[in-house]
Amino acid sequence: MSTGCGTSFHAAQTGGEAVQALDAVLRPPECDLLVCLSHEGSTRLTLEAAEAFAGPKWLVTGTPDSPLARLCDEVIVCTPELEQSWCHTASYTCAVAALAALRGEAIDWLPGAVEDALEAPLLVTSHERYLIAGAGRDWPTAQEAALKLREGAFVAAEAYQTEQLLHGHLAAVDESVRAFVLEGEGRASERARDAVAALQEIGTETSLVPTRHPVVDIVPFQVLTVDLARARGVDPDRIHRDDERWARARAAYD
């Protein structure tokens, strides 16, 4: 079982069963091992989740020395240095790759696939609302893509599981929304195509996005966030905390 908050929780979900850190505090999971994800190793709720769990704990992180590292039995440092951007893009892909390696997956092909993804950016549009849908393997990517667009470009982005989108949420979608549906595989791919057809009937500009692996699939959305931020004249690295209102909001909680 894996746990984390925000981007780290999305990364945790790519490794299989995962629980958000607050939920792990409220009800510690019954499992043999808890893998905590925290880039800086100091996230309060992830710390509390580790303290509440009685069994062995591992940490996937960007730094070897932290409060979480001191609580855990094993520490896997997955980035060459601590990422400075608060959007945590490189640290996300590195954490996902680390989890894949821990599961015994071959990850040597991922750098080349990421380079290919960088050569196929998603085009910037003037939309203010974004929708990303995905299922199964792609659900963490949908959530992380929406988070990047919100915190890096300050646009209204929402993530939906593909089937949930088709069961009611379409009612609030119209031509003002830019939609991306992650293709997936098998039955998920069939339902992704159904979602695309439904969105296009509404008049929503929609793209069916092929997927391969969570490390690769998030990259076009990271690039889109940077391009959107540039077009809007904002700094994606500060996640709006260079504005005193958002700085005060962050200071209002630990």
Side-chain angles (χ1 to χ4, degrees):
M1 180 76 74
S2 300
T3 191
C5 295
T7 285
S8 291
F9 175 53
H10 300 157
Q13 291 178 79
T14 69
E17 288 193 52
V19 59
Q20 209 279 340
L22 178 55
D23 288 332
V25 172
L26 297 173
R27 186 177 181 180
E30 296 181 2
C31 57
D32 295 328
L33 171 69
L34 183 66
V35 179
C36 301
L37 283 84
S38 175
H39 185 53
E40 296 179 5
S42 58
T43 306
R44 177 179 176 181
L45 266 296
T46 309
L47 271 165
E48 291 184 25
E51 290 169 341
F53 183 72
K57 297 172 279 283
W58 291 7
L59 173 64
V60 175
T61 185
T63 177
D65 184 19
S66 69
L68 258 172
R70 291 188 284 275
L71 279 178
C72 291
D73 303 281
E74 297 286 346
V75 178
I76 298 95
V77 178
C78 64
T79 59
E81 60 185 22
L82 198 64
E83 186 173 8
Q84 298 304 306
S85 171
W86 290 340
C87 246
H88 286 175
T89 52
S91 50
Y92 173 81
T93 53
C94 287
V96 173
L99 287 179
L102 288 172
R103 293 195 306 275
E105 290 185 21
I107 62 171
D108 57 320
W109 63 278
L110 290 175
V114 167
E115 288 184 8
D116 292 342
L118 288 169
E119 296 299 318
L122 301 170
L123 298 179
V124 172
T125 65
S126 59
H127 294 84
E128 291 291 326
R129 294 178 62 199
Y130 290 79
L131 180 159
I132 305 95
R137 174 194 66 193
D138 298 331
W139 174 229
T141 301
Q143 295 172 82
E144 178 64 8
L147 177 59
K148 294 306 97 169
L149 290 167
R150 291 183 70 91
E151 66 183 2
F154 320 151
V155 294
E158 299 170 326
Y160 294 100
Q161 290 187 332
T162 307
E163 198 63 24
Q164 289 299 99
L165 175 64
L166 297 173
H167 284 264
H169 290 289
L170 279 173
V173 180
D174 58 24
E175 66 279 2
S176 70
V177 177
R178 176 70 169 100
F180 300 95
V181 180
L182 305 180
E183 184 175 22
E185 52 192 355
R187 189 69 174 115
S189 177
E190 296 172 2
R191 292 305 270 170
R193 284 172 167 75
D194 290 341
V196 169
L199 288 162
Q200 290 177 338
E201 288 293 335
I202 296 169
T204 304
E205 185 176 344
T206 306
S207 298
L208 181 66
V209 182
T211 57
R212 300 178 64 188
H213 189 283
V215 167
V216 181
D217 303 336
I218 192 58
V219 170
F221 293 99
Q222 294 173 339
V223 175
L224 177 61
T225 298
V226 172
D227 292 343
L228 271 174
R230 184 179 295 115
R232 294 164 65 89
V234 299
D235 182 354
D237 293 328
R238 299 298 93 190
I239 61 173
H240 225 160
R241 293 181 196 166
D242 47 358
D243 184 302
E244 64 177 24
R245 289 180 296 165
W246 278 265
R248 291 197 306 270
R250 181 60 185 88
Y253 64 94
D254 184 2

